[in-house]
Amino acid sequence: MVDGTGIRVVIADDHAPIRSLIRQALEAGGCEICGEGASAADAIRLALDHRPDVVLLDINMPGNGIHAAQEIGRSLPETPIVMLTMSKDDDDLFDSLRAGASGYLLKDTDPGALPGALRAVLAGEAAMAPELILRVLGEFRAPARRRFLRRSVAASKLSAREWEVMELLAEGNSTKAVAARLFVSPTTVRVHVSAVLRKLALTDRESAFELLRDERGERGSPRS
């Protein structure tokens, strides 16, 4: 209910005092807390069990709140998810939005403003800390980084996931970082890289990066 009365909320945060503070603020604003958890696994289970109106997630809790957002979004696509976190890190912000979060609030937000923020989300608005809005706008306004050429012969041989893995690695991310970004294991990332090298008949990543940047993407072909 967008007027704040009876909004059913699941909270997941591994710090009990913070959960208590959030609960008090939301209940004072007329919300009903239908479940509390301390991990991503708790959040997913509680969301599926209670099917709340809104899920409020910390990021840096066991299992990772962004992973929880992604899983909840897959199972309950109509349920808004709001991150409530200490993190002002760009990767956390944009990964949360990519995972489907409808809001990204900081824990230094006035607790009394939380019920209104959830009402706004249920009304179809985004909830975001004001200081982060310019970062989001800047991301869309920034000139596009040079990426691999999707129309090249080499690129046409790769699956969408193989393409994504190679782009992230080419940006300087480690195998472990790419795995965390895509919510897969490092072994899976290595399997994708091996598949790419096999498809392109190459033996190392750097050669693959160079070929994928080539305007034609053909082995041994001259650059225009």
Side-chain angles (χ1 to χ4, degrees), residues 118-161:
L118 299 192
R119 286 196 296 272
V121 167
L122 286 171
E125 301 175 19
M128 185 171 296
E131 63 196 89
L132 302 180
I133 292 174
L134 288 178
R135 294 194 200 174
V136 175
L137 293 175
E139 177 74 5
F140 285 99
R141 291 173 177 167
R145 291 173 294 181
R146 178 172 175 81
R147 295 181 181 274
F148 299 149
L149 298 168
R150 292 183 180 273
R151 295 182 181 179
S152 69
V153 173
S156 68
K157 298 178 181 180
L158 308 187
S159 69
R161 179 44 64 94

Side-chain angles (χ1 to χ4, degrees), residues 143-149 167 170-171 210 212-215 223:
R145 291 173 294 181
R146 178 172 175 81
R147 295 181 181 274
F148 299 149
L149 298 168
E167 275 208 320
E171 290 174 4
E210 182 178 358
L212 289 168
R213 291 190 183 103
D214 191 288
E215 291 183 9
R223 296 179 188 271

